[in-house]
Amino acid sequence: MANHQGVSSMFAVAAALLLVAVATFPAGVHAIGVCNGVLGNDLLSPADVVKLYRAKGISAMRIYSPESNVLRALSGTGIGLLMDVANENISAFASAPSAAAAWVKANVKPYPGVSFRYIAVGNEVTDVDAQKDILPAMMNLDGALAAAGFSAIKVSTSLRFDVVTDTFPPSSGVFADGDFMVPIAEYLESTGAPLLVNVYPYFAYVGDTTDIHLDYATFQPGTTVTDDGNGLTYTSLFDAMVDSIYAALEDAGTPGVKVVVSETGWPSSGSFAATVQNARTYNQNLINHVGKGTPKRTGPLETYMFAMFNENLKKGDETERHFGLFNPDKSPAYTLSF
C-alpha cells in the first residue's frame, strides 16, 4: 500500500472545521432511492416526476447535475437528495475554492426546502489526471458548504465498481489504485461521509456467465458461496460485491467508512439477459433485500436504483436506454412494489 504521509493531520483539521455527523436514515424510512436521469426528449416535467416519486413512496432521488426545476419541485417534499457536481467542474473546484463557493451559492443556498443528503464530486471519473483533482475538489466543496452553513451535507464522489480489485472472495477486495483511493477513504472517514459506488451485478454476470449464475446475480435461490477468508456465506452477487468494497476499505485502514450504492439496476431490453423478467426479478428482490444489509454489514444499505425512466437519448449500448422503472408516460416498465 502506498505511503500517504502528511494527510492525517490535514484531514483532522478538516474534520474539526466541518463539524459533520454521520448521515442516517430516519426511523421507518426505507433504504431505497431512485436515480432521476434527464437524457430524453419525451420525459415528464420535474413537477410530475416528483409527484410520481411521492405517489410510489420513493424517499430519495439522485440527480446528475443541479437542475433548478427539479430542485424547486423537490422543495418541501422531504425527499432526500444525492446531487452530483458534473465531471467537467471538478478541475475548477480543485484549483479555486471560490469556484466551489460560487457553485454552493447558485445551487444549494437558494433551495432551503430541499433535503440535500449528499453531493457527489463527479461520477465514474476514469481519467487518471482528472482523478487527482477529486480529493482537493471535495475538500474545497466541504469548506464552501461549511462557510455557507451547510456542513450537514456530506461530500463524496461516485465511483465505478472496478476501483476495487480481487473481489472474489469478497474478503480479498482491495483498491486497485491505492494512491488514488486511500487518501479519499481517509478523508471520508474524517468527515463521516460515505463512499458512493455504482454496483451492477448485471454487467458482472454478462461478462462471466461461466462462473456466475443468473440466480446468484438476481437474488434468487440456487447458489451459495462461502468465503473462506471471513467465514461468511453469500447467496447474492450484489452482497458479495458490496462486501468486497468494505474489505477494500478495511485494507486501506478506514473501516469506519460506510458504503452507499449510488447506482444499481438491470436493463429490460437491448442485449443478452436484458429482459423484463430479469429486470423485474432483480429490482424487486433488491428492494426487498437492501433493508437487511449484507453478511458483513447488517442493517439498511442505502441504495439508489438506476433509473426512474427509460431515457431515449442516452449514448452507448442499447441497454443504456432500457434501465428505466417507468416509461415517460408514467406507465411502469414492469410492476414493482416499493
Side-chain angles (χ1 to χ4, degrees):
M1 184 179 298
N3 185 12
H4 300 284
Q5 295 179 352
V7 297
S8 296
S9 59
M10 175 177 64
F11 295 156
V13 171
L17 290 173
L18 295 177
L19 302 175
V20 294
V22 175
T24 58
F25 273 90
V29 175
H30 202 280
I32 281 287
V34 180
C35 302
N36 177 27
V38 295
L39 297 178
N41 59 13
D42 54 0
L43 299 176
L44 297 172
S45 70
D48 285 337
V49 170
V50 170
K51 288 178 183 177
L52 186 58
Y53 271 70
R54 301 184 77 181
K56 298 300 178 182
I58 302 169
S59 61
M61 177 189 292
R62 179 183 183 183
I63 59 176
Y64 293 89
S65 63
E67 300 281 343
S68 59
N69 289 337
V70 175
L71 293 170
R72 283 192 291 268
L74 285 170
S75 183
T77 64
I79 294 173
L81 184 65
L82 161 56
M83 182 168 74
D84 287 19
V85 172
N87 291 1
E88 57 265 27
N89 294 140
I90 296 174
S91 177
F93 277 35
S95 60
S98 59
W103 190 92
V104 169
K105 182 178 180 180
N107 300 305
V108 178
K109 193 171 183 178
Y111 306 102
V114 174
S115 299
F116 290 101
R117 188 174 287 168
Y118 314 114
I119 296 178
V121 176
N123 180 51
E124 297 190 342
V125 177
T126 56
D127 180 81
V128 174
D129 290 331
Q131 287 177 342
K132 296 175 183 177
D133 287 334
I134 291 176
L135 180 55
M138 289 169 57
M139 296 179 71
N140 284 339
L141 180 57
D142 256 330
L145 288 166
F150 299 106
S151 59
I153 301 172
K154 305 299 183 184
V155 173
S156 187
T157 184
S158 182
L159 303 165
R160 287 165 50 115
F161 177 72
D162 61 8
V163 297
V164 180
T165 190
D166 297 334
T167 57
F168 184 82
S171 60
S172 297
V174 294
F175 288 123
D177 183 350
D179 290 338
F180 166 47
M181 282 304 305
V182 173
I184 287 177
E186 290 175 343
Y187 183 70
L188 294 176
E189 188 164 61
S190 77
T191 65
L195 182 64
L196 309 176
V197 186
N198 299 339
V199 178
Y200 283 96
Y202 169 75
F203 292 115
Y205 168 66
V206 298
D208 185 6
T209 56
T210 300
D211 295 319
I212 300 174
H213 295 169
L214 182 62
D215 55 15
Y216 189 59
T218 55
F219 299 95
Q220 297 183 87
T223 299
T224 299
V225 175
T226 300
D227 185 333
D228 292 335
N230 59 20
L232 298 174
T233 298
Y234 291 87
T235 58
S236 75
L237 179 57
F238 177 85
D239 281 352
M241 293 172 76
V242 172
D243 277 357
S244 72
I245 303 168
Y246 277 121
L249 286 165
E250 290 180 353
D251 179 73
T254 55
V257 177
K258 80 167 186 175
V259 172
V260 167
V261 177
S262 44
E263 286 184 14
T264 189
W266 196 286
S268 60
S269 183
S271 189
F272 172 73
T275 68
V276 167
Q277 179 179 348
N278 288 342
R280 180 193 296 116
T281 299
Y282 177 80
N283 283 317
Q284 187 63 68
N285 287 338
L286 174 81
I287 291 168
N288 298 341
H289 179 81
V290 294
K292 307 168 188 175
T294 70
K296 189 173 181 66
R297 296 287 179 96
T298 58
L301 171 62
E302 189 172 354
T303 298
Y304 291 77
M305 300 172 70
F306 187 84
M308 194 66 171
F309 298 102
N310 287 319
E311 299 170 70
N312 64 0
L313 297 182
K314 283 209 72 177
K315 297 178 181 179
D317 295 340
E318 181 63 24
T319 53
E320 290 293 322
R321 292 174 283 283
H322 298 281
F323 273 89
L325 308 181
F326 294 90
N327 297 306
D329 63 359
K330 296 193 286 190
S331 64
Y334 41 84
T335 303
L336 289 177
S337 174
F338 289 94

